[in-house]
């Protein structure tokens, strides 16, 4: 396993809880069972570090006819306590209840974000302890290194995975994606990435992400026939892949097949109606097909969406 393993996991998944974390020492004190405690007293007892005894009472408090503030506090303290005693099922239950009852509460969302981060950290550590040489552990470590911008160590991890298991699904795709992502890529990076995506499709012909990126690379080179073929393949593999339908339509526009471009762009519009690029492309296909009235509607939607979200992202790197 790479020497970066532990540090990479820590940096990628660490959750900052600040004052929300109870120490192990705080949770050791023994107290009588909390079965008869009121919601308020259960919360107060748990806040003093008596977590294990109060988990059930805190769950009941969230379902009780008590003020919302009490239920919210019970949920937050419940998450904190469940993580303090490493009861992950209870932590997820409290998260579910908080999301259901306080879905738009900023404080609750803050707690949930860090709870998920903490759970991710622990699961990653479990993987590192139980199967440090597994392909899954190497993959997680490589992704962590990539997130940190440590391109060369991440590249070595992916190459080591391929050396060990050349037929594993997904690894060639991840390596190709890294080659396109790194800012210091050499002049042959794009061609090498293409080869990795093609290898991925030989192993897994259902990888819509590999088809999509090959389509995007062909589109940038104005190779409209290949782009159309790749994007349409990606869309057929994943019927909810809106960007693939958009790329398909744009490529047909590029080859002046305006009427044919309308159908995939209509699907893209249905899947992600808030994407201004789709309305722009659809408007272009419609106006070039002689449907000016419909085209004007799409251009108007494009202008409206662009004015409210001028920097809206256009994803090009599916996971």
């Amino acid at each position: 396993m790479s020497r970066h393993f532990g540090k990479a996991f820590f940096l990628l998944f660490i959750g900052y809880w600040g004052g929300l974390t109870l120490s192990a020492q705080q949770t050791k004190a023994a107290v009588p069972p909390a079965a008869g405690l009121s919601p308020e007293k259960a919360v107060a007892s748990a806040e003093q570090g008596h977590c294990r005894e109060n988990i059930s009472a805190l769950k009941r408090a969230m379902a009780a006819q008590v003020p919302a503030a009490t239920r919210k506090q019970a949920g937050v303290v419940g998450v904190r306590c469940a993580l303090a005693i490493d009861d992950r099922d209870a932590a997820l239950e409290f998260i579910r209840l908080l999301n259901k009852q306080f879905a738009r509460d900023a404080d609750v969302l803050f707690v949930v974000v860090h709870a998920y981060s903490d759970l991710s950290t622990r699961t990653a550590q479990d993987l590192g302890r139980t199967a440090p040489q597994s392909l899954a552990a190497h993959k997680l470590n490589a992704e962590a290194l990539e997130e940190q911008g440590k391109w060369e160590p991440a590249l070595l991890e992916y190459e080591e995975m391929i050396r060990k298991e050349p037929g594993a699904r997904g690894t060639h795709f991840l390596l190709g994606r890294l080659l396109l992502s790194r800012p210091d890529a050499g002049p042959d990076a794009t061609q090498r990435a293409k080869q990795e995506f093609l290898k991925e499709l030989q192993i897994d012909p259902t990888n819509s992400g590999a088809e999509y990126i090959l389509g995007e690379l062909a589109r940038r080179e104005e190779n409209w026939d290949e782009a159309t073929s790749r994007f349409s393949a990606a869309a057929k593999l994943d019927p909810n892949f809106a960007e693939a339908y958009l790329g398909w339509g744009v490529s047909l526009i590029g080859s002046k097949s305006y009427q044919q471009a309308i159908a995939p762009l209509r699907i893209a519009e249905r899947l992600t109606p808030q994407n201004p690029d789709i309305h722009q492309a659809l408007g272009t296909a419609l106006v070039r097909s002689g449907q000016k009235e419909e085209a004007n509607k799409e251009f108007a939607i494009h202008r409206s969406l662009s004015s409210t979200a001028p920097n809206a992202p256009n994803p090009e790197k599916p996971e």
Side-chain angles (χ1 to χ4, degrees):
M1 192 61 170
S2 165
R3 62 186 176 86
H4 299 279
F5 180 81
K7 185 176 181 182
F9 275 168
F10 176 82
L11 289 174
L12 181 60
F13 294 107
I14 188 65
Y16 175 68
W17 278 85
L20 294 178
T21 304
L22 291 174
S23 69
Q25 183 177 2
Q26 283 179 292
T27 64
K28 287 181 179 178
V31 297
L37 291 183
S38 68
E40 293 80 6
K41 288 184 178 180
V43 169
S45 178
E47 285 181 326
Q48 293 171 8
H50 306 308
C51 284
R52 197 175 302 277
E53 303 87 346
N54 286 285
I55 289 290
S56 295
L58 291 170
K59 289 180 182 179
R60 289 195 298 273
M62 293 203 71
Q65 296 297 318
V66 295
T70 301
R71 286 185 282 110
K72 173 181 169 181
Q73 190 176 12
V76 170
V77 173
V79 171
R80 179 179 69 187
C81 274
L83 291 172
I85 63 176
D86 199 25
D87 186 340
R88 302 181 196 181
D89 288 340
L92 290 170
E93 178 66 9
F94 282 115
I95 290 170
R96 185 187 69 79
L97 291 170
L98 284 169
N99 280 332
K100 183 177 180 180
Q101 297 183 33
F102 305 99
R104 298 182 180 276
D105 187 292
D107 294 332
V108 166
L109 292 173
F110 177 84
V111 168
V112 169
V113 165
H114 289 296
Y116 279 131
S117 178
D118 193 300
L119 289 167
S120 294
T121 301
R122 296 178 192 209
T123 306
Q125 290 169 345
D126 290 345
L127 177 59
R129 282 191 300 266
T130 59
Q133 298 302 325
S134 66
L135 186 68
H138 277 285
K139 187 179 294 185
L140 189 59
N141 189 52
E143 290 177 350
L145 291 165
E146 195 174 348
E147 286 285 335
Q148 299 167 51
K150 296 182 178 179
W151 306 107
E152 196 59 32
L155 179 68
L156 294 175
E157 283 280 15
Y158 287 128
E159 289 177 338
E160 177 66 10
M161 282 186 271
I162 290 171
R163 187 186 68 78
K164 287 184 175 180
E165 297 188 46
R169 294 173 61 173
T171 312
H172 288 282
F173 173 79
L174 292 171
L175 175 55
R177 191 184 65 177
L178 179 144
L179 289 167
L180 293 178
S181 299
R182 60 184 299 176
D184 57 344
D188 63 338
T190 299
Q191 188 57 40
R192 185 181 172 191
K194 284 184 182 179
Q195 295 307 310
E196 296 300 330
F197 295 130
L198 290 170
K199 289 176 184 176
E200 183 63 43
L201 288 171
Q202 290 176 355
I203 296 167
D204 178 14
T206 68
N207 191 313
S208 60
E211 289 282 15
Y212 174 80
I213 296 180
L214 286 169
E216 180 62 21
L217 295 175
R219 183 192 67 79
R220 293 177 183 179
E221 295 174 354
E222 298 187 0
N223 185 342
W224 303 120
D225 288 343
E226 181 180 354
T228 299
S229 174
R230 295 294 183 185
F231 284 129
S232 63
K236 290 170 185 175
L237 288 169
D238 182 357
N240 294 312
F241 199 163
E243 290 82 5
Y245 285 103
L246 172 59
W248 185 359
V250 167
S251 299
L252 287 168
I253 291 172
S255 63
K256 302 187 185 327
S257 302
Y258 304 116
Q259 188 65 43
Q260 291 177 264
I262 294 172
L265 290 171
R266 286 291 190 196
I267 298 174
E269 180 184 42
R270 175 173 55 80
L271 291 170
T272 53
Q274 299 303 309
N275 185 339
D277 294 334
I278 294 173
H279 297 284
Q280 172 71 16
L282 182 54
T284 300
L286 288 166
V287 76
R288 298 292 176 83
S289 300
Q291 303 178 55
K292 294 183 179 180
E293 185 175 347
E294 287 297 310
N296 288 336
K297 292 178 182 178
E298 295 299 328
F299 290 137
I301 296 172
H302 170 261
R303 287 192 297 271
S304 175
L305 292 173
S306 297
S307 65
T308 56
N311 297 316
N314 182 21
E316 293 182 357
K317 191 179 74 173
E319 299 298 326

